[in-house]
Amino acid sequence: MSDLQGRLKSLGFRVAWRTQRVLPEKLVWAVCRYAADRAARKRGPGTEQLRRNLARVVPAAGEVELDDLVREGLRSYARYWMEVFRMPLIGLDGMHRKVDPHVYGRENLDAALAKGNGAIVALTHSGNWEVLGGWVAAHTGHLATVAERLQPESLYRRFTKFRESLGMEVVPHIGGDQSAATVMAQCLRDNKSIALLGDRDLTSSGIPVTFFGERTRMPAGPAYLAARTGAALIPLGLWNTEDGWAMRFHPPIKVDNTKAIGAATQALADVFAADIAAHPTDWHMLQKLWVADLPEEEQAALAAKDAVRGRKSG
């Protein structure tokens, strides 16, 4: 990204944060809905990838139903950004009023913290994960999360300030005083909660899993931290309601030691799949997720990595 592109991107976010606070919500939603529907009609790369992803989630869907799913998925994604920019106007009290009646399984989170080893909340790119962060921070007294170091730096600082205003501790995935993994592990040893996205890692360090019947890779971090610290690994489902949000804290996944990381990550993928299938249009995955969608040379490199890993484990 050039300096000019970075400045324009940062300016665009700054304008959106300011204007959406003063414009009527119905007007803002009408604009967001129009933009989502236009993107659905144009069928750009992100939209087409969302279509391929949703075709795996809802394999029985015909072309017309897939059109509807994609359009509703893009509207859900547009709604997420509208809510982010309007969150200062909604306020923490307003956010809690909308989500509190729809929080299920909170006893799983409470029980994990009662044991004294911390809780790892693993989630997907679904619904409004900022709401999850704000709710857990208020409910447990603390939530730490890892954030991508967005460019330009001014945009990263703006998002960090926004998430901190919701009560979260934000740790950069690179460039911090300590590694993100070190900070997260210390939070867990201090019996605190952390939240980690767990539905995409198409790198050589990702854990191979089967997801909706196809091969993909998911981050090792959630299960690894659970194995190293004894913290509970709690899958989370997150989706939108008509005028708010809902979340479900599932029972923890057992991770006895580092040898169980692969099995635990597959178990996490299975829970994720059930939640996404129940609310497919609230899953904002506009990127390549399955290995089959990658270029052939990348598929071959990952297959070779998996072969080496298999020989070592055997």
Side-chain angles (χ1 to χ4, degrees):
M1 180 185 296
S2 69
D3 289 343
L4 176 59
Q5 288 174 319
R7 287 196 298 271
L8 289 174
K9 184 177 181 180
S10 183
L11 176 62
F13 275 86
R14 191 181 311 123
V15 170
W17 248 300
R18 290 179 178 176
T19 58
Q20 290 207 37
R21 298 186 199 184
V22 297
L23 294 174
E25 183 177 356
K26 287 185 179 180
L27 174 61
V28 174
W29 175 235
V31 172
C32 290
R33 184 183 174 113
Y34 170 79
D37 291 356
R38 186 170 184 270
R41 291 193 300 271
K42 287 185 67 177
R43 299 184 70 157
T47 300
E48 285 297 279
Q49 188 60 55
L50 177 63
R51 187 183 186 87
R52 285 192 287 272
N53 293 342
L54 288 174
R56 276 126 164 169
V57 175
V58 191
E63 290 299 307
V64 174
E65 185 179 357
L66 266 178
D67 288 342
D68 292 340
L69 289 169
V70 169
R71 183 178 62 253
E72 292 303 317
L74 291 172
R75 286 179 179 178
S76 176
Y77 190 45
R79 172 179 163 173
Y80 162 74
W81 284 109
M82 181 187 78
E83 289 170 349
V84 166
F85 295 130
R86 291 182 67 85
M87 195 63 73
L89 189 62
I90 296 170
L92 287 173
D93 289 343
M95 181 188 77
H96 288 297
R97 281 196 301 271
K98 289 187 175 186
V99 72
D100 275 340
H102 307 290
V103 178
Y104 309 102
R106 67 184 76 191
E107 66 275 7
N108 293 315
L109 177 62
D110 295 341
L113 295 175
K115 292 181 178 179
N117 295 321
I120 303 163
V121 179
L123 63 152
T124 64
H125 290 77
S126 298
N128 189 322
W129 43 91
E130 318 294 348
V131 171
L132 171 277
W135 188 88
V136 173
H139 183 69
T140 68
H142 180 272
L143 180 81
T145 189
V146 178
E148 179 185 358
R149 195 124 205 172
L150 299 171
Q151 295 298 324
E153 182 70 14
S154 60
L155 184 59
Y156 169 75
R157 290 196 300 269
R158 183 172 291 275
F159 263 96
T160 296
K161 184 177 179 181
F162 163 65
R163 286 168 175 153
E164 288 175 344
S165 75
L166 298 177
M168 291 182 256
E169 176 187 355
V170 181
V171 180
H173 78 293
I174 57 171
D177 294 335
Q178 296 178 294
S179 72
T182 298
V183 176
M184 294 295 107
Q186 187 57 54
C187 286
L188 295 170
R189 293 188 182 102
D190 292 338
N191 196 30
K192 296 178 179 179
S193 303
I194 69 170
L196 298 173
L197 286 163
D199 56 346
R200 185 179 186 272
D201 185 1
L202 292 177
T203 70
S204 60
S205 61
I207 301 295
V209 297
T210 300
F211 193 52
F212 289 102
E214 287 192 42
R215 189 167 65 99
T216 187
R217 305 170 82 87
M218 291 185 175
Y224 174 80
L225 283 169
R228 292 299 300 269
T229 67
L233 176 57
I234 300 176
L236 177 98
L238 190 61
W239 64 97
N240 294 329
T241 63
E242 185 174 347
D243 62 347
W245 313 276
M247 62 183 77
R248 183 181 302 280
F249 295 91
H250 292 276
I253 291 172
K254 191 174 182 181
V255 194
D256 288 329
N257 50 54
T258 54
K259 292 182 179 180
I261 288 174
T265 304
Q266 180 62 64
L268 199 59
D270 293 341
V271 178
F272 285 165
D275 283 337
I276 291 168
H279 307 279
T281 58
D282 287 331
W283 186 44
H284 307 145
M285 184 55 67
L286 280 71
Q287 299 169 295
K288 293 178 181 179
L289 179 73
W290 281 273
V291 173
D293 286 345
L294 297 177
E296 289 185 3
E297 59 272 19
E298 292 185 36
Q299 293 187 43
L302 290 176
K305 180 72 175 182
D306 291 346
V308 171
R309 178 182 284 156
R311 288 196 294 270
K312 288 181 177 178
S313 64

